[in-house]
């Protein structure tokens, strides 16, 4: 739900690695730590990540699974960047959320030039790009018929005859959609743009090879490109301020990754057909936590921790907001709770489940002086007790119907989209609907999301019985924060809350 010269930056990323080799085998008594607390702490104190500024794009970058864009659109991506700034990008589109039934493939050629660090999105680099050519290959007669109709109707006079309506599908035929040389662009009907190249970030971290025996690590590189606007009509003009799900370097990706080799070997004539996946029932009960420091459009950095109680369909969630892309500098935390309806299969987004969430209670904890000053200067009766805010002190804002300064409104209803998947390590992942790019709330059925945010990892089942061992010496700052009581009760939640900072 929602409420609302190279320079290196360092932080931590979640992968299931315990301590370092020395820590793992040094003397000391092992203790058991709840996995949820381990995960929250590990976001700051776990495997080391680094972000290179400016980023190094050169290489081959691939999706690690089937992606969902607003619309919905189901796709996989394979992008090649060369040392001379030229690039060749493949986008493979599908009928289904498992990316097994391809409709058409785009091959995109152009040039990209990195500029300066973004003034809007901290940690990102801005870039300029120029498209030279875009070609399309259809993978069935039906796909060709439907796509050509869209192009002929919406791409202007110069494209009204892109292909004759009765043209017979020819397997493997490549048709030119855009040519800079010929000054022809017939891509508008597809909602196509490559504005994602205008915002770039590259991260590196080390993934453990064998957790149990701690047999060293493998370097993983991730490429974050700009987000896609959730409103179709805005896609062609929108300049990103957030990111899509990252691509990974084909030579340095996570393991296991069943889709990686398939996507790496694909081209416009041979689209990747991903392995079939079993449908996972929508069993929300338990606790779910962020797997990374998340970035939202309009420069919001946060982590989420939710608990769902299936017996009475209640939920609670903690949204920890930060001022930096590594989630090291906290600004404020919002706790929210409420109830949700029984889900129903989505008729719009195949594989998704539609639910309705009600947010009825909220508490806010300011974590820096700027937030304290803002809350204390808010209008009387608009955000908790006026003048009573201080760093680290949690106050209830339910009696003031939320907190206007943070965009929290109570009570509040949101129309949500959920999906549960299992990753290659058989861990359960929860995908919650993507927040509207314009900062609004999905408070009507027509505004229900058609794509997803970064997934949450299930860290405990309904009984809360999921734990891992740790050494006391490995406790980090967030671990201390958890045990101090600042995180009271199992962090709950969902992705749905209401704030300018968009709580879900």
């Amino acid at each position: 739900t929602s409420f609302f010269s190279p320079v290196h930056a360092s932080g931590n990323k979640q992968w299931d690695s315990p301590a370092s080799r020395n820590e793992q085998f040094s003397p000391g008594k092992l203790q058991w730590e709840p996995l949820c607390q381990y995960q929250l702490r590990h976001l700051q104190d776990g495997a080391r990540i680094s972000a290179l500024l400016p980023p190094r794009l050169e290489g081959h970058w691939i999706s690690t699974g089937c992606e969902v864009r607003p619309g919905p659109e189901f796709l996989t991506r394979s992008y090649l960047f060369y040392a001379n700034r030229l690039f060749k990008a493949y986008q493979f589109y599908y009928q289904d959320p498992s990316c097994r039934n391809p409709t058409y493939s785009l091959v995109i050629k152009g040039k990209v030039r990195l500029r300066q660090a973004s003034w809007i999105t901290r940690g990102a680099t801005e870039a300029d790009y120029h498209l030279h050519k875009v070609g399309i290959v259809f993978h069935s007669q039906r796909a060709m018929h439907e796509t050509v109709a869209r192009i002929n109707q919406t791409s202007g006079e110069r494209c009204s005859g892109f292909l004759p309506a009765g043209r017979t599908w020819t397997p493997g035929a490549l048709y030119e959609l855009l040519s800079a040389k010929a000054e022809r662009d017939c891509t508008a009907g597809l909602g196509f743009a490559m504005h994602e190249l205008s915002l770039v970030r590259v991260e590196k971290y080390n993934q453990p090879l064998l957790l149990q025996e701690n047999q060293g690590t493998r370097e993983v590189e991730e490429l974050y490109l700009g987000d896609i606007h959730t409103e179709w009509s805005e896609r062609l003009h929108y300049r990103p301020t957030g990111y899509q799900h990252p691509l990974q370097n084909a030579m340095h990706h996570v393991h296991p990754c069943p889709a990686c080799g398939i996507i790496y070997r694909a081209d416009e004539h041979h689209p990747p057909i991903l392995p079939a996946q079993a449908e996972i029932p929508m069993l929300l009960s338990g606790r779910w936590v962020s797997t990374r420091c998340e970035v939202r459009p309009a420069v919001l950095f946060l982590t989420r921790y939710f608990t769902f109680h299936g017996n009475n369909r209640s939920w609670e969630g903690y949204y920890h907001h930060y001022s930096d892309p590594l989630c090291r500098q906290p600004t404020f935390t919002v706790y929210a709770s409420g109830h949700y309806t029984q889900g129903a299969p989505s008729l719009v987004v195949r594989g998704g489940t539609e639910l309705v969430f009600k947010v009825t209670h909220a508490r806010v904890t300011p974590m820096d002086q700027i937030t304290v000053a803002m809350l204390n200067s808010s209008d009387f009766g608009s955000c908790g007790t006026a003048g009573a805010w201080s760093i680290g002190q949690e106050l209830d804002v339910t009696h003031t119907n939320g907190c206007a300064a943070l965009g929290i409104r109570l009570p509040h209803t949101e129309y949500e989209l959920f999906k549960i998947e299992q990753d290659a390590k058989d861990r359960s992942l929860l995908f919650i609907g993507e927040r509207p790019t314009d900062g609004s709330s999905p408070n009507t059925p027509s505004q229900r999301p058609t794509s997803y945010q970064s997934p949450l990892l299930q860290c405990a089942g309904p009984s809360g019985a999921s734990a891992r061992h740790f050494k006391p010496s490995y406790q980090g700052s967030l671990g201390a924060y958890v045990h101090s009581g600042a995180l009271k009760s199992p962090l709950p939640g969902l992705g749905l809350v209401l704030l300018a900072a968009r709580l879900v």
Side-chain angles (χ1 to χ4, degrees), residues 57-75:
L57 289 182
E58 185 180 346
H60 191 170
W61 305 85
I62 54 176
S63 301
T64 56
C66 193
E67 301 178 7
V68 185
R69 283 184 173 179
E73 288 181 327
F74 308 112
L75 78 158

Side-chain angles (χ1 to χ4, degrees), residues 160-385:
S160 59
F162 168 68
L163 282 177
R167 185 70 163 268
T168 302
W169 172 55
T170 304
L174 176 67
Y175 303 97
E176 190 173 80
L177 278 174
L178 178 149
S179 170
K181 188 174 182 180
E183 298 183 345
R184 171 186 169 99
D185 184 356
C186 299
T187 62
L190 298 179
F192 170 83
M194 286 297 287
H195 299 328
E196 62 190 280
L197 295 179
S198 63
L199 196 70
V200 177
R201 178 177 171 88
V202 173
E203 288 186 357
K204 295 183 181 182
Y205 63 93
N206 291 319
Q207 178 196 12
L209 293 178
L210 289 174
L211 173 63
Q212 294 83 356
E213 300 177 16
N214 207 8
Q215 299 288 317
T217 60
R218 172 188 290 108
E219 184 176 76
V220 176
E221 296 183 4
E222 293 187 322
L223 171 61
Y224 291 81
L225 296 175
D227 63 308
I228 307 299
H229 202 287
T230 51
E231 282 294 325
W232 185 276
S233 60
E234 299 294 329
R235 288 171 69 156
L236 301 184
H237 315 289
Y238 172 64
R239 295 295 170 175
T241 57
Y243 304 116
Q244 299 174 69
H245 189 76
L247 301 175
Q248 293 194 354
N249 191 303
M251 300 296 105
H252 303 284
H253 62 78
V254 296
H255 288 264
C257 179
C260 289
I262 300 171
I263 298 171
Y264 172 75
R265 292 186 294 270
D267 60 31
E268 68 270 34
H269 302 295
H270 307 92
I273 310 298
L274 300 193
Q277 287 190 328
E279 196 166 314
I280 308 298
M282 182 54 62
L283 301 176
L284 281 179
S285 293
R287 305 177 191 177
W288 306 78
V289 65
S290 294
T291 59
R292 66 178 78 237
C293 182
E294 300 173 10
V295 183
R296 301 268 178 87
V299 203
L300 296 170
F301 306 104
L302 76 160
T303 60
R304 298 171 291 157
Y305 181 17
F306 300 145
T307 298
F308 297 94
H309 306 284
N311 58 332
N312 60 2
R313 293 203 198 101
S314 65
W315 70 274
E316 13 174 15
Y318 280 86
Y319 308 82
H320 302 283
H321 291 80
Y322 303 84
S323 62
D324 67 298
L326 298 173
C327 288
R328 302 297 300 274
Q329 300 165 20
T331 54
F332 64 95
T333 293
V334 177
Y335 166 84
S337 64
H339 291 81
Y340 61 95
T341 64
Q342 184 173 359
S346 174
L347 300 179
V348 176
V349 184
R350 287 178 58 187
T353 298
E354 295 181 350
L355 304 98
V356 178
F357 279 82
K358 293 187 181 296
V359 188
T360 55
H361 296 85
R363 305 194 295 262
V364 174
T365 306
M367 299 300 292
D368 68 357
Q369 194 57 51
I370 293 176
T371 305
V372 168
M374 177 183 68
L375 296 179
N376 278 330
S377 63
S378 59
D379 294 337
F380 181 83
S382 68
C383 184
T385 305

